[in-house]
Amino acid sequence: MTRRQLSYRAAAAAVVASLAVSALAQIAPSERRSGYADLSPETKAMQDDDTANPGMLSVLDGEALWNAKAGAVQLACADCHGKAEESMKGVAARYPAFDTARGQPVDLEQRINICRAEHQKTSAYKAEDKDLLALSAYVGRQSRAMPITAGSDERLKPFIAKGEKLFTERQGQLNLSCAQCHDERWGKHLGSSLIPQAHPTGYPIYRLEWQSVGSLQRRLRNCTSGMRAQPFDYGALENVELELFLMVRARGMPLETPAVRP
Amino acid sequence: MARALINVPKTAKRGQIIEIKSLISHIMETGFRRTETGQIIPRNILTELLCTYNGAEIFRATMYPAVAANPFVTFFTVAKESGTIVFKWTGDRGFEQTETASITVEG
């Protein structure tokens, strides 16, 4: 065998190896599982029963806020949108969605704040405000059990690609990427905790560790600081792009809002 | 007023053992945590849940700082007669809240 033939063989082997790696890197649709599947029986029972799920306290707050008049014009969400059970059905399943005026995607919490500023003529909620989470939990609840449909708008394409890049890029002092844990090592353990596939199927979630409801952005920032990287600010486009990519990655999986997680 | 969720079966057979669930929103601030500037965040917890069934006490729980936020308390009782079950939470800063649920006992 000549030297040249050998190097061709080596190159071919390298190509095969890299294909194997990329095939391994992404989770096959049939392999996808919600974090719910790995909960303890007690936590599953808590999520399944609306009178035991602490996220429902937030949903009830959200329902009251939906019907409460607010702002300079004294408008309630219900005055424009009517019954949330009808008008908000499936909405959370397709967020983050493209906002034409801003030329970029916005997530559900941002949409609620935009609505407050533009239509109710009042101040935006701060990130992780109890009332903001309550409204997004209430809106999210209307899509429970519906499949995730986010990302079908053509204009979202570059933002999804950006989100994917953020997901697969190494960052932080630990030099880790999201994909290294959630695509390649799900089901294994990080310390004592099980590594989930990171499908955002139940946000805002009631996290037992937080003892409160929290948004997907809070979770992302949590994970980022765990990698010893600088978390993106609340509301930063990067966070929304990541949210968008994760929702597209989980497309077709049913929403569980408000989910309970350990 | 705090949000509360009560789960009592609407109907039951006489003598049946029924499960009762209660969930209330409360921060359960322990009194041991500090702010960024080092000041103690004052304790603010629920201290007691008292349940009465047609006026008779059937369940009482005393709560301490180690109880998590939004306490979920569940217990069993025997359905004896139709009537109301009253839940009364008391806590720091004069917290007091009452919720009621009615039950119809047949047979």
Side-chain angles (χ1 to χ4, degrees):
Chain A
M1 204 180 280
T2 65
R3 206 188 187 104
R4 176 166 287 183
Q5 273 175 319
L6 261 180
S7 69
Y8 275 138
R9 282 213 170 174
V15 167
V16 169
S18 72
L19 280 176
V21 165
S22 65
L24 182 86
Q26 285 191 359
I27 302 165
S30 61
E31 291 251 286
R32 288 188 309 182
R33 57 195 278 131
S34 159
Y36 177 84
D38 298 314
L39 294 181
S40 68
E42 293 81 6
T43 315
K44 275 185 184 167
M46 193 187 266
Q47 175 173 324
D48 292 342
D49 180 352
D50 275 353
T51 57
N53 183 339
M56 287 306 292
L57 297 167
S58 197
V59 170
L60 288 176
D61 280 342
E63 186 178 12
L65 286 165
W66 180 268
N67 294 304
K69 298 203 180 292
V73 286
Q74 284 296 296
L75 267 180
C77 307
D79 290 335
C80 291
H81 297 287
K83 281 188 178 159
E85 288 82 359
E86 290 155 21
S87 63
M88 291 295 125
K89 210 170 161 52
V91 170
R94 63 178 170 80
Y95 264 77
F98 192 81
D99 182 282
T100 316
R102 282 160 190 78
Q104 64 182 58
V106 293
D107 66 15
L108 195 54
E109 283 85 11
Q110 288 172 324
R111 167 58 66 211
I112 291 166
N113 267 336
I114 291 169
C115 228
R116 270 178 75 80
E118 289 181 0
H119 304 299
Q120 293 182 308
K121 311 278 182 213
T122 182
S123 58
Y125 291 117
K126 281 189 186 135
E128 300 305 292
D129 187 284
K130 194 171 161 279
D131 289 350
L132 177 60
L133 292 168
L135 273 169
S136 83
Y138 179 61
V139 172
R141 174 72 180 80
Q142 313 309 328
S143 303
R144 192 191 260 184
M146 293 179 76
I148 292 172
T149 55
S152 44
D153 190 330
E154 277 297 308
R155 296 170 295 179
L156 289 171
K157 269 200 170 150
F159 300 98
I160 298 170
K162 185 80 188 310
E164 181 167 19
K165 189 162 172 278
L166 286 165
F167 188 80
T168 48
E169 221 167 41
R170 284 170 181 267
Q171 52 177 317
Q173 288 180 323
L174 297 183
N175 200 28
L176 277 172
S177 75
C178 313
Q180 283 179 302
C181 275
H182 300 293
D183 271 352
E184 296 167 23
R185 285 170 184 80
W186 60 268
K188 294 183 176 168
H189 287 79
L190 182 65
S192 63
S193 6
L194 189 80
I195 301 174
Q197 290 184 350
H199 296 300
T201 46
Y203 283 86
I205 58 168
Y206 189 91
R207 198 164 178 229
L208 300 176
E209 186 190 310
W210 293 337
Q211 299 197 23
S212 72
V213 176
S215 71
L216 179 52
Q217 291 208 12
R218 178 172 178 189
R219 191 71 197 80
L220 291 174
R221 283 168 52 88
N222 230 216
C223 232
T224 318
S225 58
M227 285 145 80
R228 306 212 187 138
Q230 175 72 44
F232 295 108
D233 290 337
Y234 278 113
L237 182 59
E238 286 87 348
N239 271 333
V240 181
E241 287 164 341
L242 258 175
E243 288 182 81
L244 178 61
F245 169 68
L246 289 176
M247 286 292 272
V248 170
R249 187 167 160 270
R251 204 186 278 166
M253 296 175 79
L255 268 192
E256 302 160 28
T257 308
V260 179
R261 293 290 183 268
Chain B
M1 212 177 70
R3 246 341 121 188
L5 282 165
I6 304 292
N7 188 354
V8 172
K10 283 192 177 66
T11 57
K13 290 205 172 75
R14 196 171 303 276
Q16 190 187 334
I17 294 170
I18 51 169
E19 187 175 14
I20 296 188
K21 298 176 186 171
S22 72
L23 178 67
I24 186 165
S25 69
H26 197 281
I27 55 167
M28 298 298 279
E29 186 60 59
T30 61
F32 298 120
R33 300 198 308 160
R34 286 169 191 273
T35 62
E36 283 169 0
T37 53
Q39 277 156 325
I40 291 237
I41 304 170
R43 193 184 92 158
N44 180 17
I45 63 166
L46 293 174
T47 48
E48 191 182 73
L49 166 62
L50 173 68
C51 296
T52 52
Y53 187 173
N54 284 346
E57 179 178 329
I58 52 165
F59 183 86
R60 183 198 291 264
T62 311
M63 289 181 263
Y64 296 94
V67 174
N70 307 320
F72 175 58
V73 176
T74 167
F75 60 93
F76 293 87
T77 192
V78 179
K80 281 186 176 161
E81 58 203 8
S82 299
T84 53
I85 299 181
V86 179
F87 300 78
K88 189 180 173 198
W89 291 268
T90 43
D92 293 341
R93 304 183 186 185
F95 183 95
E96 224 178 77
Q97 185 164 335
T98 308
E99 297 280 334
T100 56
S102 51
I103 180 168
T104 309
V105 175
E106 297 153 344

